[in-house]
Amino acid sequence: MDFSIRASTLEDCKDIARMILELAEYEKVLDQVKVTQKDLEQDGFIKNPFFHGIVAEVPEQHRTKEGHAKVGYALYFYTYSSWKGRALYMEDLYVMPEFRGKGIGKALMSKVAQLGLAAGCTQLNFAVLDWNKPSLDFYLSQGCFDVTADMGYHCMRCEGAALEQLAQGDT
Amino acid sequence: MDFSIRASTLEDCKDIARMILELAEYEKVLDQVKVTQKDLEQDGFIKNPFFHGIVAEVPEQHRTKEGHAKVGYALYFYTYSSWKGRALYMEDLYVMPEFRGKGIGKALMSKVAQLGLAAGCTQLNFAVLDWNKPSLDFYLSQGCFDVTADMGYHCMRCEGAALEQLAQGDT
């Protein structure tokens, strides 16, 4: 199946917001999603954007019955490793279920890698859920490694009341 | 002990590079560090910097015997959650051993949280080594949670030859 990969524009935010919800549904965390189309428009297309996106698009004849031509996306942003320097983080990689197995996910990830290398990045980091075996196997087959399993890194987070309290300090 | 926390400048890169090596030595990965003072100067102080830094400084009389007044630092950058929107990632949080237990680490982390909230971020993410019990306990005591243990997120990475190959694709 023909498809094209290109940088996302403001006009893609509606479809990206839709697919973020589809991905969250797959991950069984639909209630966690607060990000809206408007947030994406505001945060991704300002002078110092908080993220960059790419979308996978299929031609007219392959559209879904609902009329969707944008069938996959990846969100990424630049990060920094204090050991290795410039790096990239892939926040999401998603392909709609009926379009899987056609190389779209791999093409999206390949594009992210290309963009990262072009910007001088030497690492591509991302997270995967341990129960998501198909994704984990795909990533491992692409030469990625599991930093948590191999080096013991745990992802940590501070949010909500704890973040507010941390910011207030008590010194 | 008196200390001050402030945003890092180009002049701090020498000390930050020194402390990055100290931290890597503590984590037993000194051979992994490729980042130099020059890299930090180039990547952190351009128009769209790859990271931001803050440093902890002590007054003249508390300097180390080697003359170091900058005794701790944190590096952070803005990221994005496709569920929660604007977020922050703390790459490093470090205080020189002889200055620990004085609230400097907490003050640095508090400052990172303040800066994040001021920029509209709702999450502060970071990673911790599972064998680094003192750090893990400190973070948990500050209301952080272990996303790997609680939600099953594993950190993944692609680098070196695998990243080059991914970028080339084979479609």
Side-chain angles (χ1 to χ4, degrees):
Chain A
M1 185 188 293
D2 267 2
F3 61 86
S4 58
I5 306 284
R6 59 167 177 76
S8 65
T9 67
L10 202 61
E11 287 66 42
D12 296 317
C13 289
K14 189 180 173 183
D15 280 281
I16 295 174
R18 164 181 61 80
M19 291 189 280
I20 284 175
L21 289 174
E22 290 175 19
L23 176 54
E25 199 172 1
Y26 171 69
E27 291 183 340
K28 305 174 188 101
V29 285
L30 201 52
D31 59 315
Q32 293 285 317
V33 180
K34 306 290 174 214
V35 163
T36 64
Q37 175 185 344
K38 203 177 159 192
D39 291 324
L40 296 173
E41 288 169 357
Q42 283 178 341
D43 295 335
F45 300 90
I46 46 179
K47 206 176 165 192
N48 287 324
F50 282 81
F51 66 87
H52 305 277
I54 52 175
V55 293
E57 206 162 15
V58 293
E60 187 69 28
Q61 69 271 25
H62 292 306
R63 285 184 181 229
T64 67
K65 60 181 190 298
E66 295 83 9
H68 299 309
K70 295 161 196 173
V71 302
Y73 77 101
L75 294 190
Y76 67 96
F77 39 78
Y78 295 99
T79 65
Y80 205 74
S81 158
S82 51
W83 300 352
K84 301 292 177 74
R86 298 180 183 194
L88 212 61
Y89 190 90
M90 184 171 69
E91 170 67 12
D92 281 346
L93 177 65
Y94 177 76
V95 177
M96 290 176 72
E98 64 197 277
F99 294 90
R100 291 180 194 165
K102 301 174 194 309
I104 300 178
K106 190 170 171 178
L108 283 166
M109 194 166 169
S110 179
K111 186 71 181 177
V112 172
Q114 280 167 38
L115 292 161
L117 286 172
C121 302
T122 60
Q123 282 183 344
L124 172 60
N125 292 295
F126 54 101
V128 67
L129 284 159
D130 56 3
W131 56 258
N132 191 352
K133 191 89 172 45
S135 291
L136 190 59
D137 287 347
F138 167 71
Y139 293 131
L140 293 173
S141 78
Q142 299 301 308
C144 305
F145 70 99
D146 184 333
V147 188
T148 297
D150 297 359
M151 299 168 73
Y153 276 89
H154 276 219
C155 307
M156 301 288 293
R157 181 172 299 160
C158 189
E159 65 184 352
L163 184 60
E164 299 275 354
Q165 212 169 328
L166 186 62
Q168 282 158 23
D170 52 21
T171 46
Chain B
M1 186 187 294
D2 266 3
F3 61 87
S4 57
I5 306 284
R6 58 168 176 77
S8 65
T9 67
L10 202 62
E11 286 66 43
D12 296 317
C13 289
K14 188 179 172 186
D15 280 280
I16 295 174
R18 166 182 58 83
M19 290 188 281
I20 284 173
L21 290 173
E22 291 175 17
L23 176 55
E25 198 171 3
Y26 171 70
E27 291 182 341
K28 305 173 187 99
V29 285
L30 201 52
D31 59 316
Q32 294 285 315
V33 180
K34 307 288 174 215
V35 163
T36 63
Q37 175 185 345
K38 200 175 162 193
D39 291 324
L40 296 174
E41 288 168 355
Q42 282 178 343
D43 295 334
F45 299 90
I46 45 178
K47 206 176 165 193
N48 287 324
F50 282 81
F51 67 87
H52 305 276
I54 53 174
V55 292
E57 206 163 15
V58 293
E60 187 70 29
Q61 70 270 28
H62 293 305
R63 285 185 179 227
T64 68
K65 60 181 190 295
E66 296 83 8
H68 300 309
K70 297 163 196 172
V71 302
Y73 77 101
L75 294 188
Y76 67 96
F77 40 79
Y78 295 99
T79 65
Y80 205 72
S81 158
S82 51
W83 300 353
K84 302 293 178 71
R86 298 180 183 192
L88 211 63
Y89 190 89
M90 184 172 69
E91 170 68 12
D92 281 346
L93 176 66
Y94 176 75
V95 177
M96 290 176 72
E98 64 197 274
F99 294 91
R100 290 179 196 164
K102 301 175 195 308
I104 299 179
K106 191 170 170 180
L108 282 166
M109 194 166 170
S110 180
K111 186 70 181 178
V112 172
Q114 281 167 36
L115 292 160
L117 286 172
C121 302
T122 62
Q123 283 182 345
L124 172 60
N125 292 295
F126 54 101
V128 67
L129 284 160
D130 56 4
W131 57 257
N132 191 351
K133 191 88 172 44
S135 290
L136 190 59
D137 287 345
F138 167 70
Y139 293 131
L140 293 173
S141 78
Q142 299 301 308
C144 305
F145 69 99
D146 184 332
V147 189
T148 297
D150 296 359
M151 300 168 72
Y153 277 89
H154 276 219
C155 307
M156 302 286 294
R157 180 172 299 161
C158 189
E159 64 184 353
L163 184 60
E164 298 275 355
Q165 211 171 328
L166 185 62
Q168 283 158 21
D170 52 21
T171 48

